[in-house]
Amino acid sequence: MEAPPTIGEPEPRRYGRGLFLATVAGGVSSLFWGKAAWSSISGLVSPVAGAIAPILPTGGWRIYTISGQMPTFDPATWRLSVGGLVEQPVSFTYDQLRSLPRAEQVSTFHCVTGWTVQNVHWAGVRMHDVLAQARPLASGHALEFVSMEQPYIDFLTLRQASLRDVMLAYEMDGKPLPREHGAPLRLIIPEMYGYKNVKWLDRIDVVPQADAGYWEQLGYDRDAWVGRSNGYGT
Amino acid sequence: MKAGYVPRFSRVERVLHWINALGFFFLLATGLILYLPSLSVLVSRRQLIQSLHFWTGVGWLAALALIIILGAPQLLATARELEQFDRDDLRWLRGGRAPQGRFNAGQKINAVLTAAFTILFGVSGLLLWFGEQDTRFRFASTVILHDGLMYISLALLAGHLYLALIHPATRHALRGMTLGDVRVEWAARHHSKWQPEGVRVDWRARPHTTWKPQ
């Protein structure tokens, strides 16, 4: 029990209660302003982030999977199959895929849960270089991307897949795509949230229309435009 | 009761502290597996870890709430001690040497922030969990709040562990949180304004007095 204040000494103040209420109120309200505030100060705190990075090396990423085990890439057996509504179904080995015209880009990766990784350096192949060999039929209007991590699938319309910075990436930041980022191949569409960027890709089928992918069957938007879908900006 | 020792933390305070610590460390471990890509690859079983993390968080909050309800009269008195800052507390926070009560001003701030963070961890954790299933619960800043709380909590924890386990002048406090009592001389030196119930000594006047249970 605290000693009573001596005569002439001011009464203790309930600063603790104020701190508690201010912290809870600030934290809850930050749900509405936290991202904007973080964006504006992230440059200022980058030296701190750099100091923390060796201890907590996230690179800003967090890894989402839907199955018990992350798929493993075996170059001897892995193939990218392209089929469905095409004139000529094709299958690429890893080396064959890498022999296609190489494309590079630096783009920002947005996750629907709110985190963002800026300036990711991707290298891979453009969709049209892959599809050109299979030659989609006129009845095909969308692509189904099938992951080795079953049952993960997702879809893009051919129009969406023809955006200039859509690619099938086999390198990330100058190194072969790491396992946790979808080795050996993942779809990259920077204009859409990460769940459309299918990892551990091993099949692309040309289909009549875009259907609901894995997360879309759970209520996420099919057209996952950054800032304009999934409850954001609407 | 041991001669030369004075009870500092009650059983209900210690149970609350250790349940909080146990839950926090388990949540930190499972959270880091979800958060760090290298650990995600090593453990791989994200669905399992995510469920463990979430349900441990729910159990942690429920256990804390239960202890607070069961120990309400005593813990309310503790809360009143923690929320009150007098002139000496403010002087102590400015780096001056000022007599302190059962809790020094730093411990009061740590306890207040820990309590507020527990609520915020709960709110943001529930939003992350339900936001995965329903856009109405999805906010662009939830993950920033949850991560930010983790970073600040880690900094507070590092300081807390240093003072409780390493710093020679303060590590005796750990005995209070494990066995409940601390040495009278230590209490007189660090918490000279504290008047334990049933003890009629003025530690400020006689800081080296040896208290014996009455």
Side-chain angles (χ1 to χ4, degrees):
Chain A
M1 187 177 289
E2 294 277 356
T6 53
I7 295 166
E9 195 172 303
E11 286 288 317
R13 306 293 293 268
R14 286 177 172 166
Y15 291 130
R17 186 175 296 196
L19 177 63
F20 174 82
L21 294 174
T23 307
V24 172
V28 171
S29 67
S30 76
L31 292 169
F32 302 96
W33 52 259
K35 188 163 188 179
W38 177 249
S39 301
S40 58
I41 64 160
S42 56
L44 298 173
V45 299
S46 59
V48 179
I52 293 171
I55 306 164
L56 293 173
T58 67
W61 295 94
R62 55 212 70 191
I63 306 303
Y64 297 142
T65 56
I66 59 153
S67 62
Q69 199 70 26
M70 253 181 226
T72 306
F73 167 49
D74 179 358
T77 57
W78 180 86
R79 299 286 184 276
L80 174 68
S81 306
V82 182
L85 300 172
V86 296
E87 287 180 24
Q88 179 62 54
V90 287
S91 176
F92 299 90
T93 65
Y94 185 61
D95 287 338
Q96 285 170 336
L97 195 77
R98 291 197 65 123
S99 69
L100 295 176
R102 178 185 170 94
E104 293 187 23
Q105 70 188 46
V106 176
S107 51
T108 299
F109 188 96
H110 298 272
C111 178
V112 72
T113 61
W115 54 269
T116 293
V117 183
Q118 291 180 333
N119 301 323
V120 189
H121 194 149
W122 302 105
V125 293
R126 295 294 177 203
M127 197 64 73
H128 56 78
D129 286 322
V130 173
L131 293 179
Q133 301 207 13
R135 298 190 298 278
L137 299 172
S139 54
H141 298 289
L143 300 174
E144 177 182 7
F145 298 89
V146 182
S147 173
M148 286 191 279
E149 188 194 31
Q150 293 174 352
Y152 203 108
I153 56 167
D154 215 315
F155 296 83
L156 291 180
T157 64
L158 280 177
R159 188 184 170 87
Q160 291 166 346
S162 65
L163 289 170
R164 63 175 180 78
D165 52 1
V166 172
M167 70 156 47
L168 299 173
Y170 48 66
E171 278 184 19
M172 179 183 142
D173 292 332
K175 294 177 183 159
L177 197 64
R179 183 185 177 202
E180 65 271 26
H181 289 287
L185 194 70
R186 78 176 299 172
L187 173 65
I188 294 298
I189 174 163
E191 291 83 358
M192 290 196 183
Y193 287 116
Y195 66 88
K196 301 293 286 190
N197 295 233
V198 180
K199 298 194 281 190
W200 302 294
L201 202 55
D202 72 347
R203 205 173 88 224
I204 301 172
D205 284 336
V206 180
V207 292
Q209 61 187 25
D211 209 337
Y214 177 82
W215 285 108
E216 291 129 48
Q217 290 167 30
L218 298 171
Y220 285 68
D221 289 352
R222 293 187 189 189
D223 297 329
W225 303 112
V226 172
R228 292 185 282 131
S229 64
N230 292 288
Y232 297 124
T234 53
Chain B
M1 194 169 299
K2 263 177 97 174
Y5 286 80
V6 58
R8 184 171 181 218
F9 294 118
S10 68
R11 184 164 297 170
V12 70
E13 288 171 335
R14 283 178 282 151
V15 169
L16 185 69
H17 174 273
W18 289 113
I19 291 289
N20 183 44
L22 205 67
F24 182 85
F25 279 115
F26 190 82
L27 288 166
L28 180 65
T30 49
L32 285 177
I33 293 170
L34 297 173
Y35 185 63
L36 295 176
S38 52
L39 288 180
S40 296
V41 176
L42 200 66
V43 179
S44 201
R45 303 181 69 86
R46 182 178 175 86
Q47 303 305 302
L48 175 67
I49 302 297
Q50 192 175 351
S51 294
L52 273 175
H53 187 74
F54 176 75
W55 290 111
T56 302
V58 171
W60 178 60
L61 293 173
L64 292 175
L66 189 68
I67 297 164
I68 290 169
I69 290 166
L70 294 177
Q74 216 176 94
L75 291 174
L76 277 174
T78 308
R80 276 195 290 274
E81 272 184 77
L82 289 168
E83 72 176 359
Q84 296 196 347
F85 285 70
D86 62 17
R87 209 162 49 178
D88 286 331
D89 287 323
L90 302 179
R91 202 178 301 139
W92 189 95
L93 285 174
R94 287 195 293 267
R97 282 189 165 273
Q100 296 289 279
R102 182 163 74 110
F103 299 101
N104 67 38
Q107 289 163 341
K108 288 179 182 178
I109 289 177
N110 185 51
V112 166
L113 289 180
T114 301
F117 284 8
T118 302
I119 290 170
L120 292 173
F121 268 126
V123 169
S124 54
L126 286 169
L127 287 174
L128 284 175
W129 179 265
F130 289 111
E132 209 166 80
Q133 296 146 41
D134 191 329
T135 55
R136 286 176 301 170
F137 297 108
R138 202 173 301 143
F139 297 88
S141 304
T142 312
V143 78
I144 292 173
L145 174 60
H146 208 69
D147 290 0
L149 290 169
M150 185 269 290
Y151 276 110
I152 302 171
S153 296
L154 272 183
L156 288 175
L157 178 68
H160 185 67
L161 290 180
Y162 171 74
L163 293 170
L165 301 174
I166 298 170
H167 189 53
T170 54
R171 66 186 177 200
H172 178 65
L174 182 62
R175 182 188 163 94
M177 201 42 92
T178 49
L179 300 176
D181 57 11
V182 290
R183 282 199 309 272
V184 168
E185 313 88 76
W186 183 87
R189 194 176 310 123
H190 293 275
H191 303 278
S192 59
K193 273 170 71 175
W194 171 36
Q195 287 285 310
E197 220 160 327
V199 181
R200 289 185 225 96
V201 290
D202 183 353
W203 285 347
R204 281 171 289 184
R206 294 182 289 157
H208 300 298
T209 190
T210 302
W211 178 77
K212 290 190 175 133
Q214 298 162 15

